[in-house]
Amino acid sequence: MNFLVNPTIYPIFQILISLILCLGILNFGKLINNIFFKNFNYNFFNLSIGAIILSLFIFLIFLFEILDLMIAPLAILIILLGIVNIKFFINTNYLFKKIIKNENKLFTIICFFFIIFSIISLGPPSMTDATDYHYGVPLNIIKFSTFPNQDVWLHGSLFGYGELINIIPLYLKTDNFFSFFQLLSLVFFFEYFYRKNIDYNNLLFSILFIICTPVILFIISGPKALLFPQLLTTMALYLYVSEKKYNRKNIILISILLLGSTQFKLSFILSSTVIGILVLLKTFNHDKKNILNLIIICLLIFFPKFYYN
């Protein structure tokens, strides 16, 4: 895929590839979602499930030592899924028209913030740990088909799904994918609550309250996997509290979100464990058979990392 790189159009190429990859992961997650979780067909769940499953798949093919053979076909597949995601562009066009016609000043301010955030997220990475292991680990895998020696490079052992999913964009010579991906996940997170018919003014105030926090600039300006796991655990907690029908699909979805957050950033194992215990207790009270599903999901997501270590 290196033939796609042209130094004269490099910045535009990076932005285009990042957008297409995000749409490809969104479409990939939608295909999985339509099979297993039809009642949760929202962009946030599509993007989250797509990213978690794709990262897990990359890890598995790496452990089977076939990453060199699979990386190009996998990149092409995600790009094709992104290109054919025509419905997203139609919805975006409809959204732009709605933004232009909207007279709510608070909504206009929020849109202005997100335009600025988009520009920041598509900028080149500059934070120290981004140029260290967040990009160093996937680049090491691409070049040498192995993880860094942990005895020589201590930070190399801190990799998670956030580094694994970066293998594809770095293979395609774009380094602003994950920062834009996290911003897009935040937009879809708010979109979910908008589609749930929550009070419009309260929702706008909540969005403004969140995006006005200074730390948001740090989170969206690099590939550090912080914002996305936060959204995963927050959504899992919301589903646990709000969903009245606590069935097998709910349990599996909440489990995937929680386990995915721990794999993207290990420090989220603390909050995920607390919510996971609540989910386990609720599952035990409603349907003890679903505990087996929880165990299977835990093994599928945790075993590759456990086997590697």
Side-chain angles (χ1 to χ4, degrees):
M1 296 300 293
N2 292 337
F3 69 90
L4 289 174
V5 178
N6 186 326
T8 60
I9 58 170
Y10 186 62
I12 300 175
F13 170 79
Q14 281 191 314
I15 294 172
L16 183 62
I17 290 297
S18 296
L19 176 60
I20 293 176
L21 286 176
C22 286
L23 295 181
I25 293 173
L26 180 67
N27 212 7
F28 176 64
K30 185 178 181 180
L31 295 175
I32 299 174
N33 209 347
N34 287 337
I35 298 173
F36 298 103
F37 312 104
K38 293 181 180 180
N39 295 333
F40 294 94
N41 192 12
Y42 297 91
N43 284 326
F44 178 79
F45 295 117
N46 294 339
L47 189 70
S48 301
I49 292 171
I52 294 170
I53 300 301
L54 178 62
S55 301
L56 176 62
F57 181 73
I58 291 173
F59 199 8
L60 289 174
I61 62 177
F62 171 79
L63 292 178
F64 283 108
E65 300 181 352
I66 56 174
L67 183 63
D68 289 343
L69 300 175
M70 295 292 295
I71 185 65
L74 188 60
I76 293 173
L77 174 63
I78 299 300
I79 287 175
L80 290 177
L81 286 174
I83 293 173
V84 301
N85 198 355
I86 301 174
K87 185 179 179 181
F88 180 84
F89 292 102
I90 297 173
N91 293 338
T92 303
N93 185 43
Y94 169 75
L95 178 62
F96 281 140
K97 292 180 179 178
K98 191 173 182 179
I99 291 173
I100 293 172
K101 295 179 180 179
N102 197 294
E103 296 180 355
N104 190 309
K105 293 182 179 180
L106 189 57
F107 182 78
T108 305
I109 293 173
I110 290 173
C111 292
F112 176 76
F113 266 102
F114 274 104
I115 292 173
I116 300 299
F117 290 162
S118 298
I119 296 173
I120 294 173
S121 68
L122 291 170
S126 58
M127 59 179 62
T128 306
D129 51 357
T131 54
D132 183 26
Y133 73 96
H134 290 309
Y135 286 141
V137 170
L139 284 173
N140 194 90
I141 294 173
I142 293 172
K143 285 187 176 182
F144 307 111
S145 299
T146 182
F147 283 109
N149 188 328
Q150 298 181 15
D151 297 328
V152 178
W153 187 8
L154 180 61
H155 283 173
S157 64
L158 301 177
F159 75 91
Y161 279 8
E163 285 68 51
L164 294 176
I165 202 171
N166 257 327
I167 291 176
I168 294 178
L170 289 177
Y171 178 76
L172 297 172
K173 308 300 182 184
T174 179
D175 57 13
N176 53 17
F177 160 76
F178 198 70
S179 54
F180 181 73
F181 170 85
Q182 291 198 105
L183 179 63
L184 190 64
S185 67
L186 180 64
V187 174
F188 288 156
F189 180 81
F190 292 140
E191 183 219 18
Y192 168 79
F193 290 102
Y194 173 75
R195 291 175 60 182
K196 294 292 285 185
N197 296 321
I198 292 177
D199 182 77
Y200 186 65
N201 290 324
N202 289 340
L203 178 61
L204 290 180
F205 178 79
S206 300
I207 294 173
L208 191 62
F209 179 79
I210 293 172
I211 65 177
C212 284
T213 54
V215 73
I216 199 76
L217 294 174
F218 167 75
I219 292 176
I220 65 169
S221 62
K224 197 177 185 70
L226 284 175
L227 180 60
F228 185 55
Q230 287 175 3
L231 297 177
L232 292 178
T233 52
T234 303
M235 183 60 74
L237 179 60
Y238 174 79
L239 292 178
Y240 168 79
V241 173
S242 65
E243 287 296 322
K244 297 179 180 179
K245 296 180 180 179
Y246 200 73
N247 52 35
R248 181 173 58 87
K249 291 183 179 180
N250 299 40
I251 295 169
I252 293 175
L253 180 59
I254 295 173
S255 302
I256 290 175
L257 295 178
L258 291 175
L259 293 171
S261 69
T262 63
Q263 294 304 295
F264 271 93
K265 193 69 175 176
L266 186 60
S267 57
F268 281 87
I269 196 170
L270 299 174
S271 56
S272 296
T273 299
V274 174
I275 302 173
I277 292 173
L278 295 176
V279 172
L280 186 63
L281 292 174
K282 201 169 184 178
T283 302
F284 187 82
N285 292 331
H286 283 76
D287 190 354
K288 296 180 179 62
K289 295 180 181 179
N290 283 319
I291 293 179
L292 179 62
N293 293 326
L294 294 177
I295 296 173
I296 293 173
I297 294 171
C298 287
L299 289 175
L300 286 174
I301 294 180
F302 272 117
F303 181 75
K305 189 73 178 288
F306 175 79
Y307 174 80
Y308 169 75
N309 291 331

